[in-house]
Amino acid sequence: MHEARAECDTRDAEHIARHHPTRVLAEIEAKRRLMAEVFSYEAKIDGEWGCGHSADDIAAGLCPETDPSEITALRLLALCYADHPDYRDEWRP
């Protein structure tokens, strides 16, 4: 095997080990669950002090008192994507 190819294979293996699809999917699921908890918490607060919208309503932006783009926990989750071209600077916490 050519030396450059062996080096590439090693780098590929290291990348796959760090970003194994199973681990990446588990991370995505964990972030989805965390977001659901954030919206559930916001709905609880809204039910006690606001207009009683559900977590799904708040996530969809249907509650005038709780704008999802203003929830700090969600801004923090998005921060790791700040170098992505679709990231918006106004999302920055």
Side-chain angles (χ1 to χ4, degrees), residues 1-66:
M1 182 184 296
H2 190 265
E3 185 176 319
R5 180 70 189 150
E7 181 180 319
C8 182
D9 288 343
T10 300
R11 284 193 314 247
D12 289 345
E14 290 168 356
H15 176 82
I16 290 168
R18 278 193 316 274
H19 305 286
H20 191 278
T22 302
R23 189 202 60 78
V24 171
L25 291 173
E27 181 179 349
I28 291 168
E29 179 59 22
K31 287 179 179 179
R32 285 182 178 158
R33 291 176 69 181
L34 180 58
M35 289 176 62
E37 286 295 317
V38 167
F39 287 123
S40 179
Y41 174 79
E42 291 292 334
K44 182 177 181 180
I45 297 299
D46 188 66
E48 293 176 9
W49 301 102
C51 45
H53 285 88
S54 71
D56 290 338
D57 288 345
I58 294 170
L62 300 176
C63 176
E65 294 182 16
T66 307

Side-chain angles (χ1 to χ4, degrees), residues 60-92:
L62 300 176
C63 176
E65 294 182 16
T66 307
D67 183 348
S69 69
E70 295 177 2
I71 300 173
T72 302
L74 300 180
R75 289 174 175 239
L76 290 169
L77 278 173
L79 189 58
C80 63
Y81 301 103
D83 63 343
H84 191 279
D86 292 330
Y87 183 85
R88 299 180 191 170
D89 203 50
E90 64 265 20
W91 294 343
R92 193 172 300 279

